[in-house]
Amino acid sequence: MTELIPAPGHVTGQGSRFFELGPATRVAAGEGTERTERWLRASLGAATGLPLTPGQADEADVIRLAIDPVVAKDLGEEGYRLAVTPEAVHLAGGGPAGLFWGAQTLRQLLGPDAYRRAPLPDRQWQLPEIHVQDAPRFRWRGLMLDVSRHFMPKDGVLRYLDLMAAHKLNIFHFHLTDDQGWRVEIRKYPRLTEVGSWRARTKFGHRASPLWDDKPHGGYYTQDDIREIVAYAAERHITVVPEIDVPGHSQAAIAAYPELGNTDVIDTSALTVWDTWGINPNVLAPTDNTLRFYEGVFEELLELFPSEFIHVGGDECLKDQWRQSPTAQERIRELGLKDEDELQAWFIGHFDKWLAARGRRLIGWDEILEGGLAKGATVSSWRGYAGGIAAARAGHDVVMCPEQQVYLDHRQDAGADEPVPIGYVRTLEDVYRFEPVPAELTPDEARHVLGTQANVWTEVMEDHARVDYQTFPRLAAFAEVAWSSLPAPAERDFADFERRMAAHYGRLDALGVAYRPPAGPRPWQRRPGVLGRPIDGPPPNR
C-alpha cells in the first residue's frame, strides 16, 4: 500500500519485506512527541485492536517517534523521515507537526482498514520496507467551510478536522457568520444567537429555484464548543482561523441588533435572518456604534481562537445603502474620503489596526484591495488571480483560492445527473492541475504567497453527505497541490494520481465519506429538478 496521497517528496526501498504489527509491538515516544503518540495509539489502536504499549527506542518490534533537529535543518519543522525495516519503524519529524504528518503517511501504508474505528477479524497489519523523506511546499494548506448557510453540528466539524489531518491540510478557515445565520456564541450580545442563529425557511437549490424547505433551520456553537473544536484541531496540528464577515454579508447580525444597519435608509427592525442566497444589500452602517459593537465581538473571539490570523470577510459589500445614507455620506466627508470604496477600506483598516495592537493579523477577501489595502492586511484572492498578484506586488501576503479553480461548490461534471449544478465544471483533473503561484510574480513577490485554500460554500449543501459529495475526491487532489512539489500543471502525471486514488477511495470508504464516484453520482446522490446555476465553457484563468 504505497499509493500515497499527497505524493511524498522522496521514496526509496519499496522491497518485498515487511514490519509486522502485533500484540507485542510497542511505541517508543521521545520528548516532544506526545500529540502524535496520543493520536497514533487512539487511531491505530482502535483500527487494529493492538495495545501499542510504551516501549524503549533500543527494543525490537517497536515504532520509534522522535523530534530530530537534523530533519528540521534539512526539511523544516513540518518535514519528516519515515524508515521501515522488518525489525522496527523509525519516524522522525523536524518538529511536532512534521512528526504528525509522518504518522499520516504511516497510517496510509497500513491500508484502508487502518481508517476504521474498530478492528475487522483476521486482519494482518504490515508496513512495507520503505524510506520516505517529505516536507510541504506551502505553510498555508487550507480548507474553508461555510457553516452559516447550512449549519454543521459540532461532531461534523470534528469529523472534517480528521479528514483534513488525513490529507495533511493545516488551516481550517471557519466561516461563522453571514446573512443566513450567526453561528458563534458572543456572551456580550446574546441576541446574535437567540435571533441570528436561525431562519424560518430556506431556499432549496439556487436562488432562482421555486423550491423552499419550510422547516426552520439553525444552530450555533457555544463558546465551550469552540474551545473543544480549537483544541481538537490543535491536537492534529491544524490552526482554526475564524471569519466574522463585515461590513457586508451581515443581515443575521442586523436582524438581531437593528441599530447596526443603515437605519436612515431602511427600517432595519423589519429585517429577519435571510432565507435565500445571493448578494444582500443590507450592510453594516459605518458608525462608531458599529465599530464598538464588533470590537466587543472580536474581543471574545480572540479569547477563543489563538490563531495568528483573524478573517474579517470584506467581500461583496454592496454600497447602495451607503450612497443613500446621510450618515454614511457625512462620515465620508468627515474622514476626507473619495468614495464608498474608500469608506469600506477605512472600516477594514480600523480592524487591521485594532487586531495588530493585540498581536493578531487581519486577513480578508480580495475586495479589501478596493479603496486602498490596510497596512498589515493579508488577502484571500478569490476572484481569480488578479487580487493576489496585486497584493503580492504591493508587499502583502496572499492566500490563493481563486473561485474558478478551487471553489468546491462548483460542479464536478457537465452531465445532467450532476446534483444542483453550480458554476464552472471543475473536474478532479482540473483541481489537480491548479497552480497556486501565478507565473507573473517574480521570486521575491512569490514569497508573499503563503499558500492555498479550497473553499466550500454550502448554499445547496444541507447536510454532511452533500458536503462530502462536493468536497471529495477533489480535496485529495487539492491536498497534493498544496503539499507536494509538483511540476508545471501541463506536466503533472494525472494518470499516476488516478492510480493512487484507486487505493485512496478505499480509505475514504473506510472513513464513511460520501464522495462522488469516478463514474458519476450514485442514484441517491442525484437531485433531479432542483435548479442550479451552471456556467458554460472553461473558467477564465486570470
Side-chain angles (χ1 to χ4, degrees):
M1 291 302 298
T2 56
E3 294 86 355
L4 299 173
I5 289 178
H10 188 68
V11 179
T12 58
Q14 299 180 51
S16 58
R17 301 192 303 169
F18 295 89
F19 175 83
E20 303 274 352
L21 279 75
T25 302
R26 296 174 179 270
V27 176
E31 185 178 352
T33 69
E34 295 81 9
R35 284 183 181 177
T36 296
E37 178 192 14
R38 280 194 297 270
W39 179 86
L40 204 62
R41 284 209 172 93
S43 61
L44 294 191
T48 65
L50 300 175
L52 300 176
T53 53
Q56 300 299 318
D58 57 357
E59 296 176 333
D61 196 10
V62 68
I63 300 172
R64 305 182 187 113
L65 306 178
I67 305 298
D68 188 340
V70 175
V71 176
K73 180 182 177 183
D74 293 345
L75 301 173
E77 292 286 314
E78 287 195 281
Y80 68 89
R81 288 189 175 118
L82 172 63
V84 179
T85 70
E87 295 74 37
V89 176
H90 186 197
L91 176 57
L99 185 75
F100 183 73
W101 305 132
Q104 302 306 313
T105 298
L106 188 154
R107 188 190 197 187
Q108 286 197 18
L109 290 169
L110 282 170
D113 289 339
Y115 290 80
R116 299 191 181 276
R117 297 185 184 182
L120 300 181
D122 304 321
R123 289 298 189 273
Q124 283 189 314
W125 298 102
Q126 297 180 323
L127 288 168
E129 187 172 23
I130 195 171
H131 185 277
V132 180
Q133 178 172 291
D134 201 11
R137 180 184 179 192
F138 293 111
R139 59 172 279 204
W140 187 298
R141 306 181 301 280
L143 172 68
M144 190 228 68
L145 182 62
D146 165 22
V147 296
S148 179
R149 275 49 177 269
H150 278 102
F151 178 66
M152 180 177 283
K154 180 190 68 179
D155 283 354
V157 175
L158 300 180
R159 173 177 176 266
Y160 258 81
L161 291 170
D162 280 330
L163 291 171
M164 288 179 64
H167 292 83
K168 299 186 174 76
L169 299 173
N170 69 339
I171 301 290
F172 179 55
H173 176 167
F174 206 8
H175 184 81
L176 288 163
T177 73
D178 219 295
D179 300 301
Q180 295 85 0
W182 185 284
R183 304 297 180 210
V184 56
E185 177 190 21
I186 303 296
R187 290 173 177 165
K188 187 174 184 179
Y189 305 121
R191 285 176 60 83
L192 286 172
T193 45
E194 290 171 1
V195 174
S197 70
W198 70 277
R199 56 183 182 263
R201 64 175 187 167
T202 299
K203 175 67 71 172
F204 195 71
H206 182 251
R207 60 181 175 269
S209 167
L211 304 175
W212 292 89
D213 180 351
D214 289 317
K215 180 177 68 177
H217 178 86
Y220 68 92
Y221 310 102
T222 67
Q223 294 203 354
D224 281 344
D225 289 337
I226 294 293
R227 292 185 181 96
E228 179 184 356
I229 289 167
V230 169
Y232 194 87
E235 280 288 301
R236 288 147 183 79
H237 296 276
I238 295 171
T239 299
V240 183
V241 174
E243 180 182 353
I244 302 294
D245 216 335
V246 297
H249 287 293
S250 297
Q251 184 162 318
I254 297 169
Y257 291 92
E259 66 272 21
L260 295 173
N262 294 284
T263 57
D264 55 352
V265 177
I266 64 163
D267 178 10
T268 56
S269 65
L271 294 177
T272 59
V273 178
W274 213 25
D275 57 12
T276 189
W277 321 123
I279 303 177
N280 192 305
N282 297 305
V283 302
L284 297 174
T287 64
D288 289 342
N289 174 67
T290 301
L291 297 180
R292 300 293 88 76
F293 182 97
Y294 275 88
E295 287 172 0
V297 169
F298 284 117
E299 281 171 359
E300 294 194 26
L301 210 71
L302 296 189
E303 292 179 4
L304 298 172
F305 295 94
S307 54
E308 176 186 5
F309 290 93
I310 302 293
H311 207 292
V312 300
D315 61 316
E316 298 180 330
C317 178
L318 297 180
K319 312 293 195 308
D320 294 345
Q321 290 184 355
W322 288 357
R323 293 185 184 97
Q324 299 167 34
S325 164
T327 302
Q329 292 303 309
E330 176 57 29
R331 174 123 281 184
I332 289 173
R333 287 190 293 272
E334 167 194 312
L335 295 169
L337 304 177
K338 184 173 67 174
D339 56 18
E340 290 77 19
D341 284 344
E342 288 194 358
L343 183 61
Q344 177 172 342
W346 164 81
F347 193 105
I348 297 296
H350 173 86
F351 287 103
D352 178 57
K353 292 190 280 287
W354 190 92
L355 289 167
R358 289 153 182 81
R360 306 298 185 94
R361 296 179 64 184
L362 179 144
I363 184 170
W365 303 110
D366 58 51
E367 285 93 334
I368 67 174
L369 287 159
E370 297 165 3
L373 186 56
K375 181 179 178 182
T378 297
V379 171
S380 299
S381 186
W382 76 274
R383 295 180 300 176
Y385 289 92
I389 292 169
R393 285 176 172 167
H396 290 263
D397 287 340
V398 175
V399 174
M400 297 302 300
C401 50
E403 173 187 22
Q404 302 90 336
Q405 314 300 328
V406 288
Y407 268 38
L408 301 186
D409 46 304
H410 282 216
R411 57 194 173 133
Q412 302 182 63
D413 190 87
D417 288 336
E418 206 62 32
V420 196
I422 300 293
Y424 295 102
V425 172
R426 290 286 83 190
T427 66
L428 182 67
E429 182 173 0
D430 291 331
V431 174
Y432 189 66
R433 297 193 188 282
F434 163 61
E435 172 50 48
V437 179
E440 298 94 318
L441 296 181
T442 67
D444 283 344
E445 292 166 346
R447 291 189 186 95
H448 285 290
V449 179
L450 301 180
T452 184
Q453 179 173 291
N455 295 338
V456 180
W457 301 101
T458 62
E459 285 92 337
V460 299
M461 303 179 213
E462 70 277 5
D463 56 36
H464 87 268
R466 302 254 47 102
V467 176
D468 280 6
Y469 180 90
Q470 289 300 130
T471 305
F472 288 96
R474 292 182 296 181
L475 192 68
F478 172 80
E480 185 149 311
V481 169
W483 176 277
S484 305
S485 295
L486 298 175
E491 299 167 10
R492 292 176 189 173
D493 190 347
F494 181 68
D496 179 69
F497 177 77
E498 282 190 305
R499 180 189 63 79
R500 289 180 285 119
M501 274 303 300
H504 199 65
Y505 286 119
R507 299 174 190 129
L508 297 179
D509 286 332
L511 287 164
V513 176
Y515 58 85
R516 181 189 189 276
R522 296 181 172 96
W524 57 88
Q525 292 175 319
R526 302 168 188 163
R527 288 196 282 186
V530 182
L531 188 65
R533 183 183 60 90
I535 305 175
D536 293 330
N541 189 13
R542 65 176 192 275

